[in-house]
Amino acid sequence: MLVASAPPGPWTLRAVAAPDSTGPVPPQVAGTVFAAQVPGCVHSDLLAAHALPDPYLDANEERVAWVGRTDWAYATRLPRTDDGFERTDLVFEGLDTFAGISVDGVPVGATSNMHRGYRFDVTEYVARRDSDLTVAFTSAYTVAEALEAELGPRPNAYPEPFNYVRKMASSFGWDWGPKLVTAGIWRPVRIERWSTARLASVAPQVTVRDGDGHVTVRVTVERTAAGAGRELRLRVNVAGCATETLLPAGQAAGAADLRVPSPTLWWPHTLGAPNLHELTVTLEDAESGERLDDWGRRVGFRMVELDTTPDAMGSAFRFVVNGVPVFTRGVNWIPDDALPSRVTAERYRTRLEQAKAANIDLVRVWGGGIYEDEAFYAACDELGLMVWQDFPFACAAYPEEGPLPAEIEAEARENVVRLMPHPSLVLWNGNNENLWGHEDWDWKGPLAGRTWGRGYYLELLPRIVAELDPTRPYWAGSPWSGSPDIHPNDVRHGTTHLWEEWNRRPYTDYLTTVPRFVAEFGWQAPPAMATVRRSISDRPLLPDSPGMLHHQKAEDGNGKLARGLAPYFNAPDDFDTWHYLTQLNQARAIATGIEHWRANWPLCSGTVVWQLNDCWPVTSWAAIDGDGHLKPLYYELRRLYADRLLTLQHGPDGLLVTAVNQSGSAWPAAVELRRVRADGTTAAHATVHLRAAPRAVARVVVPESLTQGADADTEFWVADCEGLRAVHFAAPDKDFAYPVADYGIEVTADDDTARITVTARTLLRDLLLQADRLDPAAATDRGRVTLLPGEQVTFTVTGWPTPNAQAVPAALFCVNDAAGPHTG
């Protein structure tokens, strides 16, 4: 039976060399041997040894740039093994990136791809004596810049050579991330000892036909010399069903098929239960019955289809799960830490549980990051979160010559097989924005006929997916229209990325179009105040103080934030108001888009917000900041992605009240409509009745009695139904006659929970509690809320050790206060 164990350690780390261009290796590092954590990376080991300033604080990122241009060596001891096994392998699940592996100074292998695993036969070394194992890393810059010189320049959205190497692109910096070019043994390493044969790969195809589950398990085996002549038996068990098949002597591949009658199905959590079943595969010696190796995963039975049917409006892009068309409620996922080896299974679980709690049902693993750890996909399986997996290509032209094509094919084959057992995985996507970039980002001239990646996205990757994982759809890129003859970002076809609004136009322009599927759109906001204060030492804090600007990576990011506020608000006078308004504007912008597009289901079949998470403390598009604090956008997503959504929107016939129903049952909605004056009194009232069928939309024009003669500067509209509220202000905030905010505060507490009840004595527009201002560890259960006079809201707060009402006003904000001081 195959036996796996970790090298006994301890591991050590030392700097080998650094080029003069980055300055000398600091004295506290040069010549020092550090304790190393494996899995881990150089940055995290130096941080643990207090030999590196925290790159997430202030501008320390610039002070640690030398690390990425330095060569490094890890070392440990391999113990002698004389236990009768025919083969001993050294197995690395991930090396970042260009490594030479040697035992007692003898090279045994080399690596050049962060996204792959590697296996080396070390039998002859460990059979004789204890041995020295060295893993020496060459700077990714050294290799990337050499390949750039050899293959010629390629267009790139960023001035870094990440497109020449198979490494996490965003480690070279992005418009939300720091430049921390990592190196290290970033995934687990182990010693495997085995005899006769082992399971080299297991590729299960799991699907549903006519109500029954069907499983085809394809395996490859590796044999020792002694095992080449042995007949092998493959046993497969799933959901109470079993089968076996024989692999004749010398055969390296086999397959087994099972039918599972009427299994419970896996569903996204928004449609049903994510039922899972144990699948085990056992390899035996057919003659002796000795168990040689085994493999196990939890799989799910489900059918996933991608509906791209042409119609009068273009062509659809719609997920259909187990026969049910889905409006996708998605978010984009980036690496949760710029040092990805620090992301634990518990951290994945926390972040993904937060996604589920916000009614998100799809997470897109973006192409500038990594294929995530097994813990990520296992959590998505269990939580009922669909996964859209990009192949790791983003925002650049990638050469199709040199070492890249072979590396990319090996990487894709390995990761398709690794991830295909997961029922949460619903789409393979070829790249992020490269097909669009080639068309619209002025690449064609600089390329001068050189390759740029087209062959990967339209030939190599679809061929690999079709061969290995035919149960899942493949899409060539995002955005992508589905055809080389149609512009890749055509809103009438396929997936669309909408960035003109953030970059150049007001977010109300979202209302001018109905894409078939919005795969990226977003709006920036700063992180929580506790995150700002922890990571930036500027005092006073200002939007343009040095630390704030360093933690704003987007081109003209603060200018775009200001231009985004300008249509609605006067320029803020102080940092606290700027912080509140920019966070509020982010939530409003995303709400504008999602409400509009959900109301246009099924023409629009999904939104994938940029982005769920951050990898460090930064002003960005994220809903959860780099310290894990929930921004107002997070709570807004929970409202926007609920099964039932009530909205007030303008249509061709006037103001509409719209009931969006993505639940499986009808929604008979009695909606109370009011036109309300700024002082909170009701100018007009009506009740309208709508019935939204299951997974459908119903709308009705607001009665003329509520709209005729309205004064936009002093009146607004409120729709209430079953605890849901929609409000509509026709005038920009800076033109509306908001009263001076007046409210009462009551605080109660028991155990570790406090409750802050706010009673409105005036209209309170977009009242928000920033709980982290009460204590950096404090969190609340809700986001913005608009109250009319006499109404109450209770914020439940955890992590606030000393609750007191006197502290609350400094943590409460509303739009009224942005126009004048609070007097209550």
Side-chain angles (χ1 to χ4, degrees):
M1 178 63 186
L2 183 148
V3 175
S5 61
W11 287 89
T12 61
L13 170 72
R14 62 184 177 88
V16 178
D20 293 339
S21 61
T22 60
V25 174
Q28 70 270 28
V29 175
T32 301
V33 177
F34 297 94
Q37 181 70 39
V38 173
C41 72
V42 170
H43 287 83
S44 56
D45 288 332
L46 295 180
L47 285 166
H50 306 290
L52 203 67
D54 187 341
Y56 290 6
L57 303 182
D58 293 321
N60 287 347
E61 172 197 355
E62 297 174 350
R63 297 171 58 195
V64 305
W66 61 271
V67 176
R69 288 192 172 272
T70 302
D71 297 343
W72 299 90
Y74 287 78
T76 191
R77 296 281 286 171
L78 285 180
R80 176 177 179 268
T81 59
D82 185 16
D83 46 17
F85 286 97
E86 298 167 5
R87 175 82 170 263
T88 301
D89 290 345
L90 180 61
V91 182
F92 294 94
E93 293 186 18
L95 292 166
D96 176 17
T97 293
F98 297 96
I101 296 88
S102 60
V103 178
D104 285 342
V106 179
V108 298
T111 75
S112 54
N113 193 326
M114 180 183 184
H115 305 304
R116 291 178 59 190
Y118 293 89
R119 175 181 295 267
F120 304 104
D121 182 355
V122 294
T123 309
E124 64 176 291
Y125 303 98
V126 300
R128 298 192 300 263
R129 60 182 180 276
D130 290 355
S131 307
D132 291 322
L133 171 64
T134 302
V135 184
F137 288 92
T138 300
S139 165
Y141 273 116
T142 301
V143 178
E145 289 167 353
L147 285 169
E148 183 177 25
E150 175 187 343
L151 301 175
R154 297 295 197 282
N156 187 334
Y158 298 92
E160 296 287 330
F162 63 80
N163 47 329
Y164 292 87
V165 293
R166 299 309 296 155
K167 174 176 171 58
M168 185 174 86
S170 59
S171 69
F172 289 86
W174 220 260
D175 57 4
W176 38 257
K179 186 189 301 182
L180 296 173
V181 181
T182 51
I185 306 172
W186 78 290
R187 281 185 166 157
V189 55
R190 63 184 179 273
I191 297 169
E192 287 189 357
R193 305 191 303 282
W194 54 282
S195 297
T196 307
R198 70 175 186 89
L199 291 166
S201 69
V202 179
Q205 298 175 13
V206 183
T207 188
V208 180
R209 295 195 301 272
D210 300 323
D212 290 340
H214 292 264
V215 180
T216 297
V217 176
R218 302 185 184 279
V219 304
T220 59
V221 298
E222 183 180 11
R223 298 172 181 260
T224 64
R230 307 291 295 181
E231 185 177 48
L232 306 175
R233 178 180 291 109
L234 193 70
R235 296 186 186 272
V236 179
N237 289 268
V238 62
C241 299
T243 191
E244 62 181 61
T245 189
L246 294 175
L247 278 66
Q251 186 170 308
D257 295 294
L258 291 93
R259 182 179 69 86
V260 179
S262 304
T264 55
L265 301 182
W266 185 94
W267 292 92
H269 74 92
T270 47
L271 295 179
N275 296 296
L276 298 171
H277 305 267
E278 294 291 339
L279 170 64
T280 62
V281 179
T282 303
L283 184 67
E284 299 176 352
D285 185 296
E287 180 178 349
S288 69
E290 179 188 1
R291 189 172 62 162
L292 303 174
D293 198 0
D294 53 24
W295 177 98
R297 296 288 188 278
R298 292 208 291 170
V299 300
F301 292 95
R302 86 288 181 275
M303 279 291 293
V304 175
E305 302 165 275
L306 186 60
D307 179 7
T308 58
T309 306
D311 56 32
M313 304 299 292
S315 58
F317 186 96
R318 182 180 304 119
F319 290 104
V320 181
V321 181
N322 298 329
V324 179
V326 175
F327 182 95
T328 300
R329 299 170 244 183
V331 288
N332 283 273
W333 170 278
I334 65 170
D336 204 53
D337 199 309
L339 308 179
S341 59
R342 299 200 298 193
V343 182
T344 63
E346 293 75 21
R347 184 161 157 187
Y348 277 126
R349 183 82 186 197
T350 295
R351 202 66 73 238
L352 293 167
E353 286 178 344
Q354 290 169 326
K356 180 179 178 179
N359 298 310
I360 291 159
D361 63 11
L362 179 140
V363 179
R364 176 193 173 207
V365 181
W366 166 77
I370 57 177
Y371 306 94
E372 295 289 345
D373 185 79
E374 284 294 308
F376 173 91
Y377 302 96
C380 289
D381 294 342
E382 295 164 7
L383 295 170
L385 292 168
M386 296 181 288
V387 175
W388 159 332
Q389 177 69 52
D390 280 12
F391 286 97
F393 302 88
C395 300
Y398 285 75
E400 297 175 48
E401 306 83 36
L404 276 182
E407 279 297 333
I408 287 165
E409 177 160 4
E411 163 200 317
R413 288 183 174 278
E414 177 180 320
N415 283 284
V416 167
V417 170
R418 178 172 76 90
L419 300 185
M420 64 188 287
H422 293 283
S424 55
L425 180 60
V426 298
L427 183 72
W428 293 105
N429 181 60
N431 71 88
N432 176 75
E433 298 190 341
N434 293 347
L435 295 162
W436 182 25
H438 182 261
E439 189 66 25
D440 277 2
W441 297 355
D442 298 322
W443 286 9
K444 295 177 182 178
L447 279 170
R450 288 189 293 270
T451 59
W452 54 276
R454 183 186 189 280
Y456 300 140
Y457 319 133
L458 297 179
E459 298 171 16
L460 175 65
L461 296 175
R463 172 170 56 82
I464 290 171
V465 172
E467 173 193 342
L468 298 175
D469 191 17
T471 69
R472 285 185 181 83
Y474 171 86
W475 197 246
S478 193
W480 176 237
S481 62
S483 169
D485 299 325
I486 302 172
H487 189 281
N489 205 27
D490 188 326
V491 296
R492 299 168 298 173
H493 301 270
T495 58
T496 298
H497 290 195
L498 294 176
W499 286 113
E500 282 298 299
E501 288 75 12
W502 159 250
N503 284 315
R504 298 172 184 84
R505 292 154 45 184
Y507 60 71
T508 50
D509 278 16
Y510 290 142
L511 303 174
T512 65
T513 186
V514 182
R516 306 311 298 265
F517 192 102
V518 188
E520 278 191 23
F521 75 110
W523 209 267
Q524 269 202 351
M529 183 59 74
T531 303
V532 172
R533 289 171 173 162
R534 185 195 66 79
S535 59
I536 298 170
S537 62
D538 300 346
R539 298 296 183 271
L541 282 164
L542 300 169
D544 59 353
S545 59
M548 286 297 296
L549 289 179
H550 186 80
H551 288 248
Q552 164 62 278
K553 295 296 186 178
E555 182 180 1
D556 190 29
N558 275 17
K560 293 171 184 175
L561 286 171
R563 290 191 292 275
L565 286 177
Y568 315 105
F569 301 101
N570 295 317
D573 292 330
D574 59 84
F575 185 82
D576 286 344
T577 303
W578 174 86
H579 182 269
Y580 161 69
L581 289 180
T582 50
Q583 285 201 334
L584 172 64
N585 219 38
Q586 180 187 40
R588 285 188 180 183
I590 299 307
T592 298
I594 293 179
E595 288 185 352
H596 171 60
W597 296 318
R598 282 196 69 181
N600 280 280
W601 159 265
L603 182 61
C604 177
S605 294
T607 56
V608 186
V609 175
W610 188 271
Q611 65 213 62
L612 176 67
N613 58 325
D614 267 330
C615 65
W616 77 313
V618 64
T619 297
S620 84
W621 299 265
I624 304 173
D625 76 18
D627 281 10
H629 292 289
L630 307 180
K631 291 159 69 170
L633 173 59
Y634 173 84
Y635 301 102
E636 194 70 4
L637 288 176
R638 187 173 66 187
R639 178 185 73 86
L640 294 166
Y641 279 163
D643 280 351
R644 292 177 174 179
L645 175 67
L646 187 69
T647 76
L648 285 166
Q649 302 180 23
H650 270 290
D653 300 319
L655 187 62
L656 303 174
V657 57
T658 302
V660 180
N661 180 27
Q662 285 296 328
S663 74
S665 57
W667 182 15
V671 182
E672 299 295 322
L673 290 172
R674 285 175 285 175
R675 188 172 86 237
V676 182
R677 301 183 185 95
D679 65 5
T681 59
T682 298
H685 173 271
T687 301
V688 298
H689 296 272
L690 301 88
R691 187 183 187 279
R695 300 184 183 92
V697 176
R699 57 180 64 85
V700 65
V701 176
V702 172
E704 188 176 344
S705 61
L706 270 74
T707 58
Q708 191 172 29
D711 182 353
D713 291 344
T714 62
E715 295 180 323
F716 61 101
W717 290 265
V718 179
D720 289 300
C721 179
E722 300 174 13
L724 303 180
R725 168 169 285 182
V727 297
H728 177 74
F729 288 72
D733 296 271
K734 61 186 178 183
D735 296 334
F736 191 81
Y738 287 110
V740 173
D742 189 6
Y743 51 83
I745 297 170
E746 180 183 2
V747 176
T748 61
D750 55 77
D751 298 328
D752 60 351
T753 301
R755 293 171 182 83
I756 300 172
T757 299
V758 178
T759 302
R761 295 193 280 263
T762 63
L763 164 69
L764 299 178
R765 176 83 191 276
D766 288 327
L767 179 71
L768 180 70
L769 175 70
Q770 294 187 346
D772 60 286
R773 289 177 180 263
L774 302 172
D775 187 277
T780 187
D781 62 335
R782 63 186 308 147
R784 63 173 180 143
V785 59
T786 293
L787 298 180
L788 304 181
E791 294 181 337
Q792 289 185 337
V793 65
T794 297
F795 298 90
T796 301
V797 179
T798 57
W800 187 19
T802 56
N804 65 93
Q806 291 72 32
V808 174
L812 275 177
F813 295 84
C814 66
V815 169
N816 312 50
D817 288 333
H822 167 55
T823 60

